[in-house]
Amino acid sequence: MQAARLALRQQRFLRRYAASSPSIEWPKPGRVGMIGIGQLGAAVTGNLIRAGLNPVLYDVKGESVAKQFLENGAIWAPSAKALAEQCDVIITGLPRPEHVSAAMGISEDGQVSSDGILAGLQPGSVWIEHSTTDFENTMRIREEIEKRGCKAVAAPVTGGMQILKVGKMVALVGADEETFQRVKPLISLSAPRIVRCGEFGHETVVKILTNMLCAVQDCAMGEAMMIAKKSGVDMKLLFDAVRISSGNSFCWETEFARVADGTYFPDFTAEMMAKDIELGQGLARKHGVPMLIHGQVAQIYEMCMAKYGRDSGSTIPVKLVEDACQTPLADEKLKSAFKDWTYTTEIVEGSYVIPHKNIENPYDE
């Protein structure tokens, strides 16, 4: 079901943006590769096609996952090694650290095989890591990249998949200044809002922490919404009141609608969220930080995945509260209010702002 939804969104994206071609001087068309055509990789690929870069694609799931992109100028590579051999820039967007290692051709015991990215790298190439992955694993891969006369850029993205698809994401970037300036126009196709995070690796820590905070909010919002529901508060009024209060958050503003439409799916799965919490717990153990709240949140996501499936949406903890109370939060009035809702983002005086679209806004002047 989620795969069908993703394919439909890919098709809509490509139809909308195929005619638009921002100018990129480097790399040349056919010289940038994307490994991993999941939600993140699909959105980045769409932006590369939009720029006329004819990206080279590879995914272990096979050519079928890239069908819409291949019909619009992308090129398929038979392996990660083959992709690296023909590209000046190799981008990865993969779910977990072990997937990134496997794409590189690095085994569990640290041996480098002859059929991964590392085996195909050409001197002077640049690896851009868009995945949210393990800090130490990223550092190890960087060492292998640089041994081969290439450069590494860690650039996890944040801000929501809907925003990534229209090229308005935020990138948290770690790289040396010369390499950063070289790849900045390419990264900006998907994430024109760039935060330099100092030393290589720090951007990964920041990204993991942002997702951990979102996970807490996803768990807390269901409880707050249910208290309001059982107290007789109008749910649309609750949404509008909280978003101009001290309790507001990005998750409240963008995921409330996913409760209203019953999907609980803000283009991010429960499994992906659980993975990021796990990565954060690893950092906490390393530095001796107690995880009293996030430990509980991790358990809630495990419960959700056991009950609703690992590919359920990351807002699914709200459903857990609904089921426990045997009370749905969304009625027909709320569903109607959010029927055509969408959003965009702006940065105003250094803060992320969510302009809402196609929904009644009581604060419009």
Side-chain angles (χ1 to χ4, degrees):
M1 180 178 178
Q2 305 297 0
R5 184 184 291 121
L6 175 61
L8 179 59
R9 289 175 180 174
Q10 288 175 355
Q11 290 172 347
R12 289 173 178 168
F13 176 88
L14 289 167
R15 283 197 298 269
R16 182 175 179 186
Y17 292 112
S20 177
S21 299
S23 176
I24 297 290
E25 294 183 2
W26 180 90
K28 297 299 183 184
R31 300 292 296 178
V32 56
M34 181 75 225
I35 294 181
I37 317 298
Q39 293 184 68
L40 171 60
V44 172
T45 297
N47 291 329
L48 295 172
I49 290 174
R50 174 186 173 187
L53 288 175
N54 303 108
V56 184
L57 309 179
Y58 176 71
D59 191 293
V60 293
K61 293 181 179 178
E63 193 171 344
S64 61
V65 300
K67 183 174 183 293
Q68 294 90 353
F69 302 119
L70 299 176
E71 293 172 351
N72 285 273
I75 303 160
W76 183 256
S79 67
K81 176 183 177 181
L83 182 148
E85 287 174 335
Q86 59 187 298
C87 291
D88 298 318
V89 178
I90 300 94
I91 304 171
T92 48
L94 297 162
R96 298 184 62 88
E98 57 265 33
H99 300 144
V100 181
S101 294
M104 288 290 166
I106 301 174
S107 64
E108 291 184 6
D109 62 3
Q111 299 299 308
V112 178
S113 72
S114 60
D115 60 358
I117 294 171
L118 293 174
L121 275 179
Q122 304 301 301
S125 297
V126 178
W127 168 52
I128 300 176
E129 169 66 302
H130 276 324
S131 316
T132 301
T133 186
D134 177 72
F135 168 80
E136 293 182 353
N137 193 60
T138 303
M139 295 296 286
R140 285 193 294 267
I141 293 174
R142 178 199 185 188
E143 291 178 6
E144 293 292 340
I145 293 284
E146 292 183 344
K147 282 180 187 177
R148 291 159 174 79
C150 301
K151 294 290 186 177
V153 177
V157 291
T158 185
M161 283 293 168
Q162 180 170 323
I163 299 305
L164 176 58
K165 291 169 186 174
V166 295
K168 294 182 68 176
M169 204 73 151
V170 174
L172 308 170
V173 177
D176 68 79
E177 185 62 23
E178 181 181 351
T179 304
F180 168 68
Q181 292 299 333
R182 197 174 186 203
V183 300
K184 182 179 178 180
L186 189 64
I187 293 174
S188 295
L189 293 174
S190 296
R193 301 139 169 187
I194 293 175
V195 179
R196 292 300 312 275
C197 294
E199 293 184 31
F200 186 97
H202 287 182
E203 71 299 317
T204 301
V205 175
V206 174
K207 175 59 193 299
I208 290 169
L209 296 178
T210 66
N211 282 5
M212 289 171 65
L213 289 171
C214 283
V216 172
Q217 293 158 18
D218 283 340
C219 292
M221 67 185 287
E223 297 174 4
M225 292 171 72
M226 186 57 70
I227 293 170
K229 179 78 171 182
K230 286 185 170 288
S231 299
V233 176
D234 180 86
M235 299 304 285
K236 173 61 165 56
L237 180 149
L238 178 71
F239 171 72
D240 290 329
V242 170
R243 68 190 180 92
I244 60 164
S245 77
S246 59
N248 192 30
S249 69
F250 175 84
C251 291
W252 180 267
E253 293 216 43
T254 63
E255 297 185 35
F256 191 104
R258 300 311 173 206
V259 178
D261 67 16
T263 66
Y264 310 94
F265 188 75
D267 292 322
F268 199 70
T269 67
E271 182 174 28
M272 293 165 72
M273 186 67 87
K275 176 263 296 183
D276 290 343
I277 298 169
E278 179 186 335
L279 292 173
Q281 288 177 312
L283 287 171
R285 285 191 295 271
K286 176 181 178 180
H287 297 294
V289 179
M291 295 284 279
L292 303 180
I293 294 173
H294 285 96
Q296 182 66 27
V297 169
Q299 292 181 42
I300 291 171
Y301 271 95
E302 290 298 328
M303 292 169 61
C304 288
M305 290 188 291
K307 186 170 184 178
Y308 306 112
R310 304 188 74 81
D311 65 345
S312 56
S314 59
T315 317
I316 201 65
V318 177
K319 175 67 171 167
L320 203 64
V321 177
E322 290 179 302
D323 287 354
C325 295
Q326 298 183 331
T327 304
L329 287 166
D331 54 21
E332 291 304 317
K333 179 181 177 183
L334 189 66
K335 291 177 183 177
S336 177
F338 282 91
K339 180 170 62 74
D340 299 316
W341 169 90
T342 186
Y343 74 95
T344 185
T345 62
E346 301 296 339
I347 295 179
V348 179
E349 296 182 355
S351 294
Y352 218 37
V353 176
I354 315 296
H356 297 266
K357 297 183 177 182
N358 304 328
I359 189 171
E360 182 183 359
N361 185 355
Y363 309 117
D364 280 342
E365 296 181 357

